[in-house]
Structure formats: structure tokens, C-alpha cells
Amino acid sequence: MTAEAIGEALAAVNAGLNLTSTVLLLAGVRHIRRRQIRKHRRCMIGAVTASALFLALYLLRFSLTGTHAFEGPELVRRIYLAILFSHMVLAAAVVPLVLRLLYLLRRRKFKAHGRLARWTLPVWLYVSVTGLFVYFMLYHAYG
């Protein structure tokens, strides 16, 4: 199997991990609103795990294949790059936010965790959903 084939397979796995993270984040929010703490905890641990696995596999894929050029028309390319740029910036920002949330939980500072989670959730969801968009645009729409 070539590095390119492995890279494409990893990209598909990563899209699945992004989707998994999105679904688990939404389910986790639903559970915490219903005060179902154990279910919320399980969903959020799953979302963190899926996101961490995504990051590890993304770095592996990047080391094997590098970046991919977008092959779409110029107008679509500009939209794609705007979304990609915001995705990358927020992906970098969400890592310390999630780590801080985990720290607050470990310290049993639930109110502070809740306040930060209200800001972190939309960022994390945006990163997960735009990750799916980037994958679709690179590998299916114009790939």
C-alpha cells in the first residue's frame, strides 16, 4: 500500500472521528441539560477520545502525504480557504480550552467548568463540522 493510499484511508477515518466527536458533543449537551451527569460524562469522554485520536491520525497522515492542493474553481477555492483558515485557527485554540475543561473537572470546579464549556462547545463543534466540510471538499467534491 502506498503512502498516498494510506493517507486517503486515514483521511476517511479522520472524517469519521470528526463526525463521532460532533454527535457525542451534541449528545453530551443534551444529557447535561437534562442533568444526566453520567451520560454526559460518557459522551464527553468519547468526544475527547475521538478528537485526540483524530489529532494523532491527522499528524500521521500529514507526515505521510503532506498538504493537499484544492482543485476547485477560484470562487469555491476562496470560500474553502476562508473556512479552512478559521478551522485551523480554532482547532489550535480548542486544544487548550478542552485541556482546561478537563483540569477543572479533575479539581471538581464544576461551575467554572460549566462557564468555560459554554464558550468551548461552539468552537469545538465548529472545528468538528468544518473538518467534515474540508474532508468533503478535498476528497469528494473536487478531489
Side-chain angles (χ1 to χ4, degrees):
M1 199 170 201
T2 67
E4 188 65 33
I6 293 170
E8 287 201 24
L10 287 173
V13 168
N14 278 342
L17 289 168
N18 267 329
L19 180 59
T20 300
S21 181
T22 300
V23 169
L24 289 170
L25 287 169
L26 293 171
V29 169
R30 182 175 182 207
H31 291 309
I32 199 63
R33 287 183 178 158
R34 293 178 175 186
R35 307 248 186 253
Q36 298 170 327
I37 304 300
R38 285 190 173 148
K39 289 181 180 180
H40 169 74
R41 184 181 312 135
R42 284 187 208 124
C43 286
M44 300 316 286
I45 288 170
V48 168
T49 302
S51 294
L53 189 53
F54 166 87
L55 181 57
L57 293 177
Y58 173 81
L59 293 172
L60 175 61
R61 190 212 50 82
F62 183 81
S63 72
L64 291 171
T65 63
T67 60
H68 297 313
F70 182 74
E71 302 292 334
E74 186 58 29
L75 176 61
V76 177
R77 182 178 181 276
R78 288 180 187 193
I79 295 167
Y80 166 80
L81 289 175
I83 291 171
L84 176 63
F85 179 74
S86 66
H87 169 80
M88 291 169 46
V89 169
L90 292 174
V94 82
V95 173
L97 291 171
V98 170
L99 291 174
R100 178 71 177 163
L101 286 172
L102 294 171
Y103 171 81
L104 291 171
L105 283 176
R106 187 80 172 140
R107 295 290 188 187
R108 304 182 63 79
K109 297 182 178 186
F110 302 119
K111 287 189 182 203
H113 171 84
R115 285 191 303 269
L116 181 59
R118 285 181 187 89
W119 290 93
T120 304
L121 175 70
V123 175
W124 196 352
L125 278 172
Y126 180 84
V127 169
S128 293
V129 170
T130 56
L132 290 167
F133 170 82
V134 168
Y135 168 76
F136 175 76
M137 296 299 281
L138 276 180
Y139 290 91
H140 295 287
Y142 298 99

